[in-house]
Every structure is written in structure tokens, then in C-alpha cells.
């Protein structure tokens, strides 16, 4: 899957956070771009709360402002906000993954996100 965020065309990379298996989403510079392979954005955040396997907590503050719209436009998440999880001074927005995203996750090799929290 590909997504465009802040004018960067990116590959959507899925993983799981190691401590609770919540979904992790990174945007990595797409092939044949000047920023190929570079981290464009860490789209998800691990709140510590165990989420349903079809849900993902999205980091929508600071440099990630607008990322939920980019993920909706790319067909990664559904547009309806499910709920929010307070994380100190900000709140993570929880969305459902699309069927297409869930299929991509099943096709990718198992991996874990190195970070347990953002």
C-alpha cells in the first residue's frame, strides 16, 4: 500500500509493537523517490492499552497533523474515529483498519516495532 503524507509518497509498512502486539504503522519513502527507504512518519502510537486486532492508534499531533486523512485517502484506515485514548497532554485517535490493510498485514512477514511507545 502507498500513502502520500506532506507531499511524500510512501510505502505503508505494518508491524506489531512487541509488548502487546498492537498494530504499528510506518510510512517509508517509496521506491524510486529521492527519499526511498527513509522514515517519513511513524503513523501509529502504542498507548499501552490492548487494542482489537482490527484497530490502530494513530498519532495525530505535532508533525503528524493530517496523517489520519492521508491514511484514509490511502485506504489504510476507515474514516470513522472509533474513540480516543488520553496519553498525557495529547490523545491518540483509534481507527479501524480497512479490509485491504488487514489483507496486507496477513501477507507481510511477522515483525515487531522496535519502539514500544511514541
Amino acid at each position: 500500500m502507498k500513502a502520500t503524507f506532506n507531499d511524500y509518497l510512501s510505502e505503508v509498512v505494518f508491524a506489531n509493537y512487541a509488548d502487546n502486539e498492537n498494530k504499528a504503522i510506518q510510512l517509508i519513502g517509496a521506491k524510486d523517490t529521492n527519499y526511498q527507504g527513509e522514515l517519513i512518519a511513524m503513523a501509529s502510537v502504542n498507548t499501552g492499552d490492548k487494542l482489537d486486532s482490527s484497530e490502530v492508534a494513530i498519532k495525530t499531533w505535532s508533525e503528524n497533523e493530517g496523517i489520519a486523512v492521508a491514511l484514509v485517502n490511502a485506504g489504510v484506515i476507515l474514516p470513522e474515529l472509533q474513540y480516543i485514548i488520553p496519553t498525557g497532554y495529547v490523545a491518540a485517535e483509534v481507527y479501524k483498519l480497512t479490509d485491504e490493510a488487514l489483507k496486507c498485514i496477513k501477507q507481510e512477514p511477522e515483525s515487531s516495532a522496535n519502539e514500544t511507545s511514541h
Side-chain angles (χ1 to χ4, degrees):
M1 299 183 85
K2 292 190 186 317
T4 300
F5 177 61
N6 288 343
D7 296 325
Y8 291 99
L9 179 62
S10 305
E11 299 287 340
V12 179
V13 178
F14 298 96
N16 291 319
Y17 290 101
D19 62 339
N20 57 13
E21 295 299 308
N22 285 341
K23 299 293 182 268
I25 300 175
Q26 292 180 327
L27 300 182
I28 305 295
K31 184 178 180 183
D32 297 326
T33 63
N34 292 335
Y35 43 87
Q36 177 178 328
E38 293 180 28
L39 178 65
I40 302 303
M42 188 66 193
S44 62
V45 60
N46 193 15
T47 64
D49 296 16
K50 179 65 176 149
L51 303 178
D52 182 82
S53 63
S54 65
E55 295 177 328
V56 62
I58 302 297
K59 179 183 185 264
T60 59
W61 58 89
S62 297
E63 71 278 359
N64 276 26
E65 194 170 313
I67 200 158
V69 172
L71 294 172
V72 168
N73 291 341
V76 177
I77 60 174
L78 296 174
E80 299 82 23
L81 173 65
Q82 299 299 299
Y83 55 95
I84 60 173
I85 300 173
T87 61
Y89 294 107
V90 294
E93 296 181 0
V94 178
Y95 292 88
K96 291 272 189 188
L97 293 160
T98 63
D99 289 341
E100 182 182 354
L102 290 169
K103 286 178 192 172
C104 287
I105 290 168
K106 288 180 182 175
Q107 293 172 354
E108 288 188 4
E110 295 264 341
S111 63
S112 294
N114 291 333
E115 301 167 59
T116 57
S117 175
H118 288 279

